[in-house]
Amino acid sequence: MVDLNVKINQLELSNPVMTASGTFGYGLEFADLVPLDEIGGIIVKGTTLEHREGNDYPRMTETASGMLNCVGLQNKGADYFCEHIYPQVKDIPTHIIVNVSGNSVDSYAACAAKIDTLDKIPAIELNISCPNVKEGGMSFGVSCDGASSVVRAVRRVYHKTLIVKLSPNVTDIADIARACEAEGADSVSLINTLMGMAIDIERRKPKLSIRTGGLSGPAVKPVAVRMVWDVAHAVKIPVIGLGGIMNAEDAIEFMMAGATAVQIGTANFIDPMVTFKVKTGIADWLERHGCKSVQEIIGAV
Ligand SMILES: Cc1cc2nc3c(=O)[nH]c(=O)nc-3n(C[C@H](O)[C@H](O)[C@H](O)COP(=O)(O)O)c2cc1C
């Protein structure tokens, strides 16, 4: 038996494969299809202090080897999550991690403080990288000062494992990662989506309602692997890698670049079992290569 355990600060994962925010709902929707106890963790849909409607439709379009989305953090707000969603997800037999977003430093901190009170949520992922909202979101994640200010404020009020999700829409992602580490982040996850655009040439109009959207899927993988490599060499805290992972080989690539754990997003829309399959695929690969533990491949390049 290969040991698949990894640690993100205090958070012990039974295996390194998690689902990415916005692509696996609250996990509940998949309970009949996927053995949730075999998933390393579920990062639930982005949660904000206040209710958000999200952007107008159309807000998704397929592209070559990927997709563009501009959902815009549609959710019912932190109070609704605490009162209605939390009671339903708290006993799911894996780690449930809440993805927290905001439009000001104070709203990030207020949302994180509410989630801090929930016993069975061991971590949050702070989304300072959403490209699809007018205020806040990615604007905090594209400068060291912006990232520092959010992480500092959240660190004051949030006492469990704090993961910060980074934007690839920057010149030097390693600088942003260092800024987050300096303010007390326990881990960084990367990448969120890359800003993109697609045009319907018959209508001479953008395909998405707000013109631009975030690109995800296999098209972004080489960019993401390079960024994980850069960040893993810049910080001491564990790095969580994502962006275009479709199978176990892709996940192993991220881990060899320096990721302690990985997340799977867009691939869930094609096969909801993908996270489970990637987990078993990693175990098979390790066994075939005579490895006793997944630790042997982390940063192996
Ligand atoms: C439809 C959709 C919704 C998303 N919603 C969120 C979100 O609420 N919060 C967040 O941090 N990332 C969100 N993301 C980004 C993903 O979590 C992930 O970072 C990105 O898609 C890259 O990984 P992938 O190529 O495996 O999908 C979303 C992505 C998609 C496709």
Side-chain angles (χ1 to χ4, degrees):
M1 286 294 278
V2 179
D3 179 8
L4 290 181
N5 289 283
V6 294
K7 261 183 104 175
I8 304 293
N9 189 34
Q10 299 305 314
L11 194 62
E12 292 185 17
L13 307 181
S14 62
N15 71 76
V17 193
M18 298 184 275
T19 57
S21 179
T23 64
F24 204 70
Y26 292 105
L28 293 165
E29 300 87 336
F30 296 88
D32 292 339
L33 295 172
V34 184
L36 299 180
D37 57 329
E38 305 252 5
I39 295 179
I42 296 172
I43 322 281
V44 303
K45 176 70 193 150
T47 301
T48 49
L49 185 60
E50 310 287 351
H51 163 106
R52 285 181 61 94
E53 285 294 333
N55 292 315
D56 287 342
Y57 292 86
R59 49 194 197 181
M60 280 195 194
T61 187
E62 196 169 336
T63 56
S65 296
M67 62 179 277
L68 284 168
N69 93 84
C70 64
V71 173
L73 299 175
Q74 178 180 358
N75 78 102
K76 293 192 170 167
D79 287 335
Y80 186 91
F81 179 85
C82 295
E83 283 157 36
H84 300 281
I85 310 282
Y86 175 66
Q88 298 179 64
V89 298
K90 69 182 177 47
D91 296 321
I92 291 180
T94 184
H95 295 302
I96 303 294
I97 298 170
V98 178
N99 179 272
V100 168
S101 217
N103 52 16
S104 66
V105 170
D106 290 345
S107 70
Y108 270 102
C111 186
K114 284 181 192 280
I115 307 298
D116 195 43
T117 63
L118 306 176
D119 286 350
K120 293 199 171 168
I121 304 291
I124 58 171
E125 179 179 62
L126 206 57
N127 177 7
I128 56 168
S129 44
C130 180
N132 307 318
V133 288
K134 282 202 194 85
E135 289 172 4
M138 193 175 86
S139 64
F140 290 106
V142 294
S143 76
C144 290
D145 286 349
S148 299
S149 62
V150 179
V151 178
R152 191 181 312 134
V154 170
R155 187 71 288 181
R156 271 192 217 118
V157 298
Y158 189 74
H159 305 99
K160 294 178 252 178
T161 298
L162 174 57
I163 303 163
V164 183
K165 186 164 181 182
L166 305 180
S167 172
N169 302 300
V170 294
T171 310
D172 188 350
I173 197 166
D175 278 346
I176 313 276
R178 279 190 212 97
C180 295
E181 181 180 42
E183 295 296 344
D186 297 311
S187 170
V188 283
S189 56
L190 60 139
I191 59 174
N192 207 320
T193 52
L194 275 155
M195 275 194 84
M197 186 174 179
I199 294 169
D200 177 340
I201 58 169
E202 297 305 324
R203 291 169 55 243
R204 302 185 184 208
K205 287 199 166 138
K207 287 190 176 170
L208 295 176
S209 64
I210 61 161
R211 293 191 287 273
T212 59
L215 181 66
S216 62
V220 308
K221 197 189 83 179
V223 177
V225 171
R226 190 272 292 174
M227 289 186 165
V228 165
W229 162 268
D230 281 350
V231 169
H233 286 82
V235 297
K236 295 197 173 62
I237 52 179
V239 174
I240 300 170
L242 73 155
I245 297 178
M246 302 299 285
N247 52 44
E249 288 73 18
D250 293 341
I252 291 168
E253 212 178 315
F254 274 86
M255 297 191 78
M256 287 188 174
T260 297
V262 294
Q263 295 176 16
I264 301 184
T266 302
N268 286 298
F269 298 130
I270 300 166
D271 178 6
M273 280 289 279
V274 64
T275 312
F276 171 75
K277 290 178 184 168
V278 168
K279 176 215 140 178
T280 49
I282 293 175
D284 289 349
W285 189 96
L286 291 169
E287 235 168 81
R288 275 204 313 281
H289 291 76
C291 302
K292 298 219 162 9
S293 159
V294 71
Q295 302 290 339
E296 292 173 46
I297 59 166
I298 298 172
V301 168

